[in-house]
Amino acid sequence: MRWISCIPKGFSVRPSRVGDLVREFAQFGSLPAGGVSRLCASPTDGEARDRLTKLLQDVGAEVTVDAVGNQFGLFRLTDDDTLAPVMIGSHLDSQPRAGKIDGTLGVMAAVEVGQLLHAAKQQGHGFQRNFYVVNWTNEEGARFRPSLLGSGVFAGHLTEAFALACRDDDGVTLEDALLAIGYRGTDPRPPIPDFYMELHAEQGSRLEGAGLQIGLVTRNWGAAKLDLVFEGEQAHTGPTPMSKRRDALLAASRVIDGLRQLADANPDRLHTSVGRIVVSPNSSNVVPDRVELTAEIRSPDDTFLIEIEKLAQAQFDAVAQATGVTLHRQNRSLRLARTMPETMVDFLEGCSTSLGQQPMRLDTVAGHDALSLIGICPTALVFVPSIGGISHNEAEATDDADMDAGTSLLLEAAFRLCGSSHTTWGMT
C-alpha cells in the first residue's frame, strides 16, 4: 500500500520552533554549562509547569492536572467524544545536572502538534478524535523513586496513594512537594487514549552512526531496580582494629564492584549500575555505619534478567555476612522487557515513508513513560539522534532539523489518527 502525506497544505512543523521551545524551557533550572537541574516537584519544576500551562492555553488548549500532578492539555477537535482521544507527551522533570533535551523535547513536540491540529480545525479540517498533550510527573525517578510514577498511576500500575506517599532523601513526600508548587491537582484524569505516542532523543548513537533521523522503538530492555541499606557500626577510622570494623561503605563498595563484574561477564546482554549512594555520617574520620544505595540491572531477556537478579541478591547477602553488616532490602521494582505493538510500528513506518524519511527499528535500553502504556493502548516511541550519544549530561544535544523531523512524523500520525475512526488510520 502506498503512503502519501495527509498533512494539509500550510500546516507543516515550523522550522526550529520545537528547538526554540526546548531552549526557552532550559531557563527553568538552568546551569552554567547549558544544562538543567529540574527535579520533580521542585520550585523550578513548578516554574516550568506554569509556563507550559500558559503556553497551552495561549494556543487553544484546556489545561487540567490530576491528583499526582500529571498535566494535560486538551485540544478539542470534535464535540463527539465517542472515540477515545490521541495523546502525545513526555516529561519536564530532569536528573541533577542534566541536559535540556531529555523529556522536554517530547512535550514541546506535542505542543507543536496540538497547535497545528487546532489551527487546522479552526480552518475547517474535520476530525473524529480529540488530542491531548501530557507532561507526566516524575518520569526520571531522580527525586522520588520509583521512576515513571505519573504514567504508572495513569495506566493503573500504581495507586495514587502509593505515588503520593513516595519520599525523597529529605523525607518530603511527593504529595507535599506537589502541594508546595501548586500541582497537587483535583481534576479527573482524561480517558485512556486510543493511541499514545512519545518523541525522545535516542540517548545512544545508532541513528547518528547510520545517518538517519528517525528511530522506531520495537521493544524495551527489562530493568530491576533495588534500594538497599547496609547498617554497620560507627567507629573511629584510626584506632579501631580492622578486624573489629563493621564498615557499611565497604559492603556497598563490594556490591558496586560485583555488579560491574556481572555486566563485564555478559557484554551486550547486561547493563548494571549503582547511581545513587548515601553515606552516613559521611565524615573522613568515621567508619560509616549506614549506606543507602540504588542498584540497577537491565537486560533485553527477562529470563536472564531474573536469573542475574537472583545471583546478585545472593551476592548481597554474602557481602553483608563477610563484612559483618546488616542488609535491609527497602524497595524493588521490576519492569519486564516488552515489545511495542507491531501495528503501531508499521503505521509509523508508513507515515515516515510518506514524508520521505527512512526509519530504523531499534530497542530502547532506557525507560520512558511510553512503556507504562504498553498493553493499555496502542503505543509508540519515536527516537531522533543524540549528538555523540550523550545523555543525562549537560552536554546532551540534538540538531533542530532532527527535532523537526521527529515532530513532523508525529504530526503526520496525529492527522491520520485524529481524523479517522477505522483501522486503516488514513492510509492511502
Side-chain angles (χ1 to χ4, degrees), residues 288-323:
D289 66 343
R290 179 182 172 92
V291 172
E292 301 177 22
L293 63 82
T294 301
E296 288 189 1
I297 305 169
R298 299 178 189 250
S299 174
D301 182 330
D302 286 342
T303 299
F304 183 67
L305 173 66
I306 292 170
E307 289 176 356
I308 290 294
E309 186 194 350
K310 289 180 179 177
L311 178 60
Q313 295 278 16
Q315 289 183 355
F316 302 160
D317 289 329
V319 164
Q321 183 175 5
T323 55

Side-chain angles (χ1 to χ4, degrees), residues 51-72:
R51 175 63 185 122
L52 178 61
T53 294
K54 186 175 188 307
L55 177 61
L56 286 167
Q57 291 172 339
D58 286 348
V59 296
E62 304 167 20
V63 179
T64 58
V65 181
D66 72 10
V68 296
N70 292 324
Q71 193 174 5
F72 302 96

Side-chain angles (χ1 to χ4, degrees), residues 218-371:
T218 58
R219 66 171 182 171
N220 68 281
W221 281 34
K225 300 188 178 186
L226 312 164
D227 285 340
L228 308 175
V229 177
F230 291 98
E231 289 191 336
E233 183 176 21
Q234 185 170 327
H236 197 301
T237 56
T240 306
M242 300 300 293
S243 61
K244 300 292 186 181
R245 299 186 186 194
R246 297 174 54 226
D247 189 337
L249 185 54
L250 174 62
S253 69
R254 291 184 179 177
V255 163
I256 295 168
D257 183 61
L259 287 170
R260 179 56 186 258
Q261 289 186 39
L262 288 173
D264 288 344
N266 296 277
D268 303 320
R269 196 181 180 197
L270 186 69
H271 288 184
T272 63
S273 69
V274 171
R276 170 185 169 271
I277 184 166
V278 181
V279 180
S280 175
N282 202 29
S283 172
S284 60
N285 290 327
V286 178
V287 174
D289 66 343
R290 179 182 172 92
V291 172
E292 301 177 22
L293 63 82
T294 301
E296 288 189 1
I297 305 169
R298 299 178 189 250
S299 174
D301 182 330
D302 286 342
T303 299
F304 183 67
L305 173 66
I306 292 170
E307 289 176 356
I308 290 294
E309 186 194 350
K310 289 180 179 177
L311 178 60
Q313 295 278 16
Q315 289 183 355
F316 302 160
D317 289 329
V319 164
Q321 183 175 5
T323 55
V325 303
T326 302
L327 168 62
H328 302 282
R329 293 172 170 86
Q330 287 195 320
N331 297 297
R332 172 185 180 266
S333 65
L334 178 65
R335 180 173 65 240
L336 296 177
R338 288 179 292 176
T339 57
M340 305 299 284
E342 188 174 355
T343 52
M344 284 295 283
V345 177
D346 290 343
F347 168 64
L348 284 173
E349 189 168 69
C351 290
S352 296
T353 60
S354 77
L355 298 173
Q357 300 168 342
Q358 179 187 350
M360 173 190 287
R361 296 190 178 207
L362 37 66
D363 294 348
T364 178
V365 182
H368 301 284
D369 287 304
L371 305 184

Side-chain angles (χ1 to χ4, degrees), residues 5-302:
S5 177
C6 69
I7 299 175
K9 186 177 180 180
F11 293 97
S12 299
V13 169
R14 294 166 288 179
S16 297
R17 173 57 177 162
V18 172
D20 288 341
L21 287 172
V22 167
R23 286 182 285 274
E24 177 189 342
F25 272 74
Q27 71 181 295
F28 305 114
S30 64
L31 298 173
V36 298
S37 275
R38 193 165 59 229
L39 300 187
C40 174
S42 64
T44 53
D45 185 32
E47 292 169 0
R49 288 165 172 267
D50 289 345
R51 175 63 185 122
L52 178 61
T53 294
K54 186 175 188 307
L55 177 61
L56 286 167
Q57 291 172 339
D58 286 348
V59 296
E62 304 167 20
V63 179
T64 58
V65 181
D66 72 10
V68 296
N70 292 324
Q71 193 174 5
F72 302 96
L74 167 61
F75 289 87
R76 292 194 182 274
L77 307 179
T78 175
D79 294 328
D80 185 355
D81 291 333
T82 303
L83 299 176
V86 173
M87 184 180 290
I88 299 178
S90 193
H91 62 97
L92 291 179
D93 68 308
S94 83
Q95 292 287 339
R97 301 201 307 274
K100 58 181 175 288
I101 305 294
D102 187 347
T104 304
L105 167 59
V107 178
M108 297 306 114
V111 172
E112 174 73 353
V113 170
Q115 182 174 0
L116 291 168
L117 293 173
H118 181 67
K121 184 232 180 183
Q122 289 182 314
Q123 294 192 23
H125 190 85
F127 293 100
Q128 297 192 55
R129 301 176 192 273
N130 289 317
F131 177 80
Y132 277 92
V133 172
V134 60
N135 167 35
W136 301 111
T137 293
N138 196 63
E139 190 271 356
E140 292 289 2
R143 182 179 180 189
F144 301 98
R145 297 178 304 281
S147 57
L148 310 185
L149 272 181
S151 57
V153 171
F154 181 83
H157 304 310
L158 305 171
T159 66
E160 288 180 6
F162 171 84
L164 293 170
C166 289
R167 296 180 181 272
D168 66 11
D169 288 340
D170 295 321
V172 178
T173 65
L174 175 61
E175 181 171 27
D176 286 343
L178 289 171
L179 285 168
I181 63 169
Y183 280 90
R184 167 67 160 91
T186 58
D187 298 313
R189 288 190 213 115
I192 296 293
D194 264 354
F195 309 96
Y196 175 79
M197 297 180 289
E198 184 169 335
L199 179 65
H200 208 281
E202 181 192 349
Q203 301 179 306
S205 56
R206 290 162 292 181
L207 290 173
E208 184 180 52
L212 298 176
Q213 290 185 300
I214 299 296
L216 303 178
V217 174
T218 58
R219 66 171 182 171
N220 68 281
W221 281 34
K225 300 188 178 186
L226 312 164
D227 285 340
L228 308 175
V229 177
F230 291 98
E231 289 191 336
E233 183 176 21
Q234 185 170 327
H236 197 301
T237 56
T240 306
M242 300 300 293
S243 61
K244 300 292 186 181
R245 299 186 186 194
R246 297 174 54 226
D247 189 337
L249 185 54
L250 174 62
S253 69
R254 291 184 179 177
V255 163
I256 295 168
D257 183 61
L259 287 170
R260 179 56 186 258
Q261 289 186 39
L262 288 173
D264 288 344
N266 296 277
D268 303 320
R269 196 181 180 197
L270 186 69
H271 288 184
T272 63
S273 69
V274 171
R276 170 185 169 271
I277 184 166
V278 181
V279 180
S280 175
N282 202 29
S283 172
S284 60
N285 290 327
V286 178
V287 174
D289 66 343
R290 179 182 172 92
V291 172
E292 301 177 22
L293 63 82
T294 301
E296 288 189 1
I297 305 169
R298 299 178 189 250
S299 174
D301 182 330
D302 286 342

